[in-house]
Amino acid sequence: MKNEIRSDWNLEEAQSIYNKPLLELVYEAATMHRKYHNPSEVQISSLLSVKTGGCKEDCSYCPQAARYHTDIKVHGMLNPVDVVDKAKQAKAAGANRMCLGAAWREVRDNRDLDKVLEMVRGINELDMEVCCTLGMLTESQAQKLSDAGVYAYNHNIDTSEDFYGDVISTRTYSDRLNTLDNVRKAKMTVCSGGIIGMGESTDDRLKMLITLANLDQQPESVPINTLVPVPGTPLEEQGQVEFEDLLRMIATARIMMPKAAVRLSAGRLERSRLEQGFCFMAGANSIFAGDKLLTTPNPEFNADMDMFKFFGLTAMPSIHEKQKAQQTSEATV
Ligand code: SAM
Ligand code: DTB
Ligand code: SF4
């Protein structure tokens, strides 16, 4: 069988996948999806911003950058007990992963990090997977998070290296890649993707997928966000991404990274149920659920559960739950 997990993708190959007749592309992505995943399971993450706003970076898309005047509720580090309570509620609603976000350029070794580590330990005790997205990490900070039980670290490369400077000037593409390297060294799983709809070309989108697919080890999770244009940010006037472009992007990511969880991330409120269903067909198998992303709205949890029912989809159990189920079945053999 030809090797489908490749790390030598080039632009012509990515273009030839992306530009296939639409239904042919979706069929090929759906076929790949079925080979590596249970197509009726979707992984659900609940997002929580544990420290909101006041960030010193200049990411043009982000409502949490201190230099833009946006209408968000800025707050310092939340109390770990309250965060674990929120995780309990998310678990009861069906989420298997809790993702904690902080508006930091990079992690600092201080009391706030200690609080995050306490949250991580508390959420692990609920048998949920913990994901963190806290900005850049050194090798030793990555190790600290891993030791506390962080399962996945989200750190998006956002776009192509060529377009990166048009969106962010306060850090470089290689800073981002360096953190992804530190995450790998500390044996956390990698969650990395990007945003479409910031004014980049189709080739920029494909180059981003190539960078991710050609990493030494492909990311376990690839979020595809559509820009949520927030008033006050430099990208507030960006127009809506065509659905066809989102669908082609999801399908191409699925074909280039067959084993990854492809996450249909920010921007779902603008998509109909049938459009989202098409994305699940084309290989998306993960979402952020709950009525808020970090600072912007997301579909209501119950509406998502109705959508799952309509399509015959179910929530994926967490890695802890899978391990427990396996131990129980081994014990009864
Ligand atoms: N500060 C950390 C960092 O930048 O890595 C973690 C939080 S940051 C908000 C996480 C990701 O959210 C960004 O990398 C970006 O891909 C995504 N994001 C932020 N604002 C967005 C927006 N308006 N629309 C879509 N995605 C957005
Ligand atoms: C990701 O790729 N998307 C999420 C998560 N990782 C942290 C964040 C989306 C943020 C959308 C804008 C907001 O709500 O502030
Ligand atoms: Fe800060 Fe992250 Fe927002 Fe950039 S994306 S401004 S680093 S919170």
Side-chain angles (χ1 to χ4, degrees), residues 55 59 61-64 101-105 133-136 154-156 158 171 176 193-195 225-230 266 294 296:
C55 182
C59 313
Y61 48 75
C62 186
Q64 301 199 65
W104 287 331
R105 174 176 200 272
T133 181
L134 314 169
M136 292 185 274
N154 167 243
H155 199 67
N156 291 340
D158 282 335
R171 59 167 188 253
R176 286 310 259 190
I195 307 178
N225 296 278
T226 308
L227 176 74
V228 181
V230 179
L294 291 171
T296 63

Side-chain angles (χ1 to χ4, degrees), residues 117-229:
L117 296 173
E118 199 180 325
M119 295 167 190
V120 170
R121 287 188 282 263
I123 299 170
N124 259 307
E125 280 172 19
L126 306 175
D127 275 350
M128 291 178 88
E129 293 168 12
V130 190
C131 169
C132 286
T133 181
L134 314 169
M136 292 185 274
L137 293 178
T138 63
E139 229 178 297
S140 76
Q141 289 163 341
Q143 195 57 53
K144 266 191 202 173
L145 289 167
S146 177
D147 291 344
V150 173
Y151 178 73
Y153 197 80
N154 167 243
H155 199 67
N156 291 340
I157 58 169
D158 282 335
T159 186
S160 70
E161 183 164 17
D162 302 341
F163 192 67
Y164 202 72
D166 286 32
V167 183
I168 300 154
S169 77
T170 48
R171 59 167 188 253
T172 64
Y173 211 60
S174 62
D175 288 334
R176 286 310 259 190
L177 294 173
N178 188 38
T179 291
L180 292 180
D181 221 28
N182 291 338
V183 170
R184 272 279 171 240
K185 282 187 195 142
K187 308 242 177 319
M188 289 182 282
T189 63
V190 169
C191 172
S192 188
I195 307 178
I196 59 174
M198 302 187 292
E200 72 287 341
S201 65
T202 302
D203 279 356
D204 286 311
R205 295 175 188 171
L206 295 177
K207 285 179 189 168
M208 173 181 95
L209 293 183
I210 290 169
T211 301
L212 294 169
N214 288 354
L215 289 171
D216 287 343
Q217 194 181 336
Q218 294 185 346
E220 281 76 6
S221 165
V222 178
I224 305 293
N225 296 278
T226 308
L227 176 74
V228 181

Side-chain angles (χ1 to χ4, degrees), residues 66 106 183 213 243 263 271 309:
E106 74 270 297
V183 170
F243 173 65
R263 191 182 304 270
R271 306 295 174 193
K309 210 163 150 203

